[in-house]
Amino acid sequence: MSDRGATRPARRGTIGAAMTSLPFAKAPVLDGAAVTVRGAVRNVTFRSDDLSFSVVRLVAVDGDEVTVVGPLGNLSPGECVRVTGTWEQHATHGPRVRAQAVTPELPRTPEGIERLLGSGFVADVGPTLASRIVQRFGSATLDVIADHPKRLSEVEGIGQKRAERIQAAFQARRAEVESKAFLQGLGLGPALARRVWERFGTDTATVIRENPYRLAEEVAGIGFLTADKVGRSVGIDDHDPRRIAGATLFLLLEAIDEGHVGVPPDELGVLADRFGIARSHVLEALDQMVARGTVVRDRGLVYPPPLYEAERRLAEALVARVRAGVGEVPAAVMTAPRVVEALAALHPTQREAVEATRRAAVVVLTGGPGTGKTTTVRAMVALHQAAGHKIVLGAPTGRAAKRLNEATRHPAATLHRMLEWMPRLGRFARNASSPLDADVVLVDEASMVDVQLAASLVGALRPGARLIWVGDADQLPPVGPGTVLADLLSFQGVVSVRLTEVFRQASASAIVRGAYAVLRGEPPQSSSPRPRPMPGQPPVGPTGELFFINVDDAEQGARTLVETVARRLPQSFGLDPVRDVQVLVPTHRGPLGAQSLNEALQQALNPSGPRNKRGFAAGDKVMQLKNDYDLDVWNGDVGTVASLDAEGLTVIVDGREVKYTATNLDALALAYAATVHKAQGSEYDAVVIGLHTSHFTLLNRALLYTAITRARRLAVIVGSERALRFAVSAMRVVARHGALRERLVALSSEAT
């Protein structure tokens, strides 16, 4: 292999004996034949953002060029590898190797060594100098660099310092190659092997031999199950304390992903049975983990340290704020014209909530649909504006912040933007040392706020500032850990007002009636059938309508749902199936899951036109999956693909163009269908809800109630009656473990 061989066209002869004796000319008959290729990466033609698929050109040991595809990790030009896989014949690109395993190697030939040295891994050694080094030392070059670097001075242009740099760079490369080969020998793929190397460097082999379960603790993308396979490979048995500690931490973090803040030790002991680990061994491991600071044990729960600190800080900050109190807004402010006007339309309970914000440091306002939360919030804003207070409004998602802004005509932002999240540092700029410049902070959709975000928010309030939480306590709890809104409502130290009066106009809505029926444990009642709208008629009645379509079979239910969105709703209600309708389901998977429904709805609503490698086409409805501060788009934002180009695509979000490239396309997903959790904080003209008994473990009143209340004007439930009845009979989601309320009560008692 040589640089000359890398630049000439690939020969059509045989590949060397190290690969296969079958010629390229017979590629069509090679499909599926096993092959091993040794060589150096010439260039990378394509690499996916998640490193799960790459296309590279490899210069083999005899100079032939080979295309290799598959999960190749983050290979770079000049790297030497051994690829094992199978031949395949591509209709457009010809013969290529489908990689099954890729192992890094050091080059063995002078040509390979020259290519390695000239690839740029040594900052000031280019192809010309690399050629002179290899011409002097030949196949012994790497031994000279490793063991006799002073001899490099025999090459013109290399002094002592450059020789030392070359040796140091080569030693680092050799350690990396050996570590990655070791890791891949243990079953880790190229992408994971690179992450492990980036975390542990030259200590990789030592760390894995001493405690492979550190992989799960410290390397993104590696969980306990993968670390356990590595552990078995290096001789760790079932009852090794390192394995028990790794399994215990894995079970704890798995529970956190389900919304718990901490977990009782006995529960972890029961869960560990799935790995064949005795409860007594788990309790022993916890004692050791507490001593090392890996976990915290307090108030009968085991916590990851960050969640323990968040729960503790939140409780302390809230109680301190309640104890300190705030200055009362003068009664004279209540006579200001705009305040009088805002209060005039309020029910006595709504007025009570507004009055509470005059005197209390922390106020919680809750209520279901039709109870006037938005009207009450407008009155609160009017009151504090008249008092000369600086008000900051926020919500957990971009869509919720936009609705809050529209309802109050006052600027509103996501909580992450309000607190000025700094992605590179992994923290907020706003905190106790640099608090928010606000006298009043009002948070809408507070049911979505988890314990860590709440702790950051309360910790960023300046002394004397008021905090107002607004949310629906009957909705689903947050995706993140904790139940902050519910805990505050059950804590007597915080002033809370629950709106229960459903106003006459709202009570005429079948959506509102259906939502409250669900909370009572009753199936929602369908509206009367509605004729096709006449020209100029509103697409859906202003009072809100709800329908149930009974389909028992999941696959038939999916077909019915797609037909409902694509044909029935446009014909019967004049709705645009992309702009006006949102499909909501409990889960991503299954025939009535978001993933398969998105594919079916895309085919029904936007079947034509070119698609990019991720399957997007112009006209597709897409959703942002995480906050992106550079693009100014937020988790849950929905837009429409305007155009595709070679670099990425352009999406229209809230009337503005957002340009996506390969680096951030992974944050987009089709949004014809979404999970109910993903839709929290959002409202849509029409919602179509898929329910089936295959969703059994996820069905409950809170989920169905949340889904129905996302609809402003029309809700349609498509699914089995059995699933509907089960959902309304399941009182709540599984209770979450945490001790926020207990801490609030205890701290308040200490204060008195």
Side-chain angles (χ1 to χ4, degrees):
M1 179 177 62
S2 67
D3 286 335
R4 293 183 299 278
T7 57
R8 73 176 186 268
R11 297 200 306 269
R12 303 294 290 179
T14 60
I15 301 299
M19 297 169 57
T20 175
S21 60
L22 295 175
F24 275 132
K26 297 181 180 179
V29 303
L30 296 176
D31 281 359
V35 62
T36 297
V37 187
R38 277 194 167 93
V41 177
R42 179 185 178 191
N43 57 54
V44 179
T45 305
F46 172 79
R47 177 184 294 132
S48 65
D49 295 336
D50 60 0
L51 305 181
S52 63
F53 182 79
S54 300
V55 180
V56 306
R57 291 291 288 172
L58 201 69
V59 181
V61 292
D62 65 351
D64 281 303
E65 290 190 18
V66 187
T67 298
V68 181
V69 302
L72 307 178
N74 197 21
L75 288 178
S76 301
E79 287 194 65
C80 295
V81 292
R82 182 178 75 252
V83 177
T84 58
T86 56
W87 282 110
E88 65 179 25
Q89 178 73 21
H90 191 277
T92 302
H93 303 294
R96 60 190 193 178
V97 175
R98 172 71 61 173
Q100 296 169 342
V102 182
T103 305
E105 293 187 330
L106 291 173
R108 303 178 179 186
T109 65
E111 293 86 357
I113 295 169
E114 181 180 329
R115 176 178 290 278
L116 173 66
L117 293 177
S119 66
F121 87 94
V122 182
D124 53 358
V125 176
T128 301
L129 183 54
S131 179
R132 292 206 302 269
I133 295 172
V134 174
Q135 285 175 9
R136 175 68 184 85
F137 301 110
S139 58
T141 297
L142 297 185
D143 291 332
V144 170
I145 293 173
D147 302 323
H148 308 286
K150 291 182 179 180
R151 290 195 60 195
L152 292 174
S153 61
E154 298 173 18
V155 178
E156 182 183 355
I158 299 180
Q160 180 180 349
K161 289 185 178 179
R162 178 175 279 189
E164 290 173 353
R165 288 198 299 272
I166 294 173
Q167 182 191 43
F170 169 67
Q171 288 174 336
R173 172 58 69 93
R174 181 170 62 183
E176 180 179 357
V177 167
E178 291 173 349
S179 293
K180 288 181 179 177
F182 170 66
L183 292 168
Q184 292 186 42
L186 296 175
L188 297 184
L192 290 181
R194 179 173 288 271
R195 289 181 193 169
V196 174
W197 167 258
E198 289 172 350
R199 171 63 186 88
F200 298 116
T202 56
D203 294 330
T204 295
T206 301
V207 167
I208 288 177
R209 289 190 176 100
E210 290 181 350
N211 186 2
Y213 298 95
R214 285 183 62 185
L215 295 175
E217 295 179 30
E218 302 179 41
V219 180
I222 296 183
F224 170 77
L225 299 180
T226 299
D228 200 31
K229 290 180 182 177
V230 174
R232 299 306 181 94
S233 298
V234 298
I236 290 181
D237 63 32
D238 288 356
H239 305 297
D240 189 293
R242 293 167 293 181
R243 180 175 187 266
I244 295 169
T248 302
L249 183 61
F250 168 77
L251 293 168
L252 174 61
L253 296 180
E254 194 175 54
I256 301 308
D257 286 342
E258 295 173 357
H260 301 291
V261 184
V263 184
D266 285 344
E267 189 168 308
L268 289 174
V270 172
L271 293 171
D273 183 62
R274 66 192 269 198
F275 299 122
I277 297 173
R279 173 180 171 276
S280 59
H281 290 165
V282 170
L283 299 180
E284 291 173 7
L286 285 173
D287 289 337
Q288 297 167 7
M289 294 165 73
V290 169
R292 293 196 306 268
T294 307
V295 299
V296 176
R297 186 158 48 195
D298 187 48
R299 297 185 181 275
L301 299 175
V302 176
Y303 295 84
L307 289 182
Y308 166 75
E309 288 298 325
E311 187 180 83
R312 182 187 59 80
R313 285 189 291 108
L314 176 58
E316 291 175 355
L318 283 169
V319 170
R321 191 159 293 275
V322 170
R323 188 187 311 155
V326 290
E328 184 174 336
V329 175
V333 174
M334 304 295 284
T335 63
R338 64 176 303 178
V339 178
V340 171
E341 180 182 356
L343 294 176
L346 298 186
H347 181 274
T349 310
Q350 294 173 296
R351 183 185 291 266
E352 176 190 343
V354 177
E355 288 271 3
T357 68
R358 286 182 55 208
R359 305 179 181 88
V362 181
V363 174
V364 182
L365 172 66
T366 187
T371 57
K373 291 195 302 295
T374 300
T375 305
T376 307
V377 167
R378 280 198 291 261
M380 289 175 175
V381 171
L383 169 66
H384 290 285
Q385 284 178 330
H389 290 160
K390 183 166 185 178
I391 307 170
V392 172
L393 306 182
T397 68
R399 292 176 71 87
K402 182 181 178 183
R403 287 195 296 107
L404 183 59
N405 164 248
E406 292 170 347
T408 61
R409 297 181 181 178
H410 187 87
T414 66
L415 296 182
H416 278 77
R417 179 164 288 281
M418 176 197 298
L419 296 172
E420 300 176 21
W421 176 253
M422 300 181 292
R424 289 188 179 90
L425 298 179
R427 62 181 178 85
F428 294 106
R430 293 295 182 178
N431 50 42
S433 301
S434 179
L436 291 166
D437 181 19
D439 302 303
V440 179
V441 174
L442 186 148
V443 178
D444 197 12
E445 296 291 350
S447 63
M448 299 175 63
V449 180
D450 63 47
V451 69
Q452 287 179 293
L453 185 54
S456 296
L457 173 65
V458 177
L461 300 178
R462 67 188 182 192
R466 290 169 165 81
L467 176 63
I468 304 171
W469 294 88
V470 181
D472 186 342
D474 292 312
Q475 287 189 24
L476 286 169
V479 174
T483 51
V484 176
L485 179 63
D487 291 337
L488 290 179
L489 284 169
S490 64
F491 173 51
Q492 295 183 353
V494 168
V495 176
S496 62
V497 179
R498 183 183 290 271
L499 303 179
T500 57
E501 181 75 18
V502 179
F503 293 96
R504 179 176 300 176
Q505 182 177 358
S507 65
S509 165
I511 294 172
V512 173
R513 295 197 304 271
Y516 284 108
V518 169
L519 293 182
R520 294 193 302 269
E522 303 168 2
Q525 298 298 307
S526 291
S527 305
S528 300
R530 187 173 186 268
R532 187 175 301 181
M534 300 295 293
Q537 182 180 353
V540 188
T543 57
E545 301 180 49
L546 184 148
F547 299 95
F548 173 63
I549 302 174
N550 185 19
V551 185
D552 286 329
D553 180 74
E555 293 184 357
Q556 179 58 45
R559 291 191 291 270
T560 301
L561 187 149
V562 171
E563 182 190 13
T564 299
V565 173
R567 186 178 63 82
R568 295 185 186 182
L569 297 189
Q571 289 181 356
S572 298
F573 296 93
L575 292 164
D576 183 297
V578 177
R579 184 189 64 239
D580 300 329
V581 182
Q582 181 62 54
V583 174
L584 298 179
V585 288
T587 184
H588 287 285
R589 296 183 177 84
L592 273 172
Q595 183 174 340
S596 60
L597 287 174
N598 267 316
E599 294 171 0
L601 287 163
Q602 183 190 48
Q603 187 60 35
L605 301 175
N606 193 28
S608 60
R611 305 195 188 283
N612 66 7
K613 293 176 181 177
R614 293 187 175 271
F616 297 126
D620 273 338
K621 184 177 183 179
V622 292
M623 177 181 287
Q624 178 74 14
L625 301 179
K626 59 185 179 182
N627 294 337
D628 190 315
Y629 297 83
D630 295 329
L631 295 180
D632 195 27
V633 288
W634 310 98
N635 186 2
D637 280 354
V638 174
T640 303
V641 177
S643 62
L644 307 176
D645 57 45
E647 296 181 356
L649 51 81
T650 300
V651 180
I652 305 299
V653 181
D654 292 334
R656 65 184 181 87
E657 291 188 353
V658 180
K659 175 67 178 176
Y660 287 83
T661 63
T663 59
N664 47 35
L665 267 178
D666 60 340
L668 275 184
L670 290 174
Y672 300 102
T675 63
V676 179
H677 265 109
K678 205 67 179 175
Q680 281 183 274
S682 299
E683 284 187 352
Y684 311 92
D685 279 341
V687 165
V688 178
I689 304 163
L691 287 184
H692 192 259
T693 50
S694 60
H695 302 146
F696 177 81
T697 57
L698 297 171
L699 296 178
N700 56 69
R701 291 183 193 175
L703 180 133
L704 181 56
Y705 172 83
T706 301
I708 290 173
T709 55
R710 298 311 89 203
R712 282 190 290 260
R713 302 165 71 183
L714 173 67
V716 180
I717 303 171
V718 178
S720 69
E721 185 174 356
R722 183 183 175 196
L724 178 63
R725 290 190 176 278
F726 182 83
V728 299
S729 68
M731 285 290 294
R732 290 290 294 179
V733 292
V734 176
R736 295 185 171 190
H737 294 302
L740 177 59
R741 182 177 179 277
E742 182 182 344
R743 292 183 195 280
L744 291 169
V745 172
L747 289 168
S748 297
S749 300
E750 292 173 10
T752 57

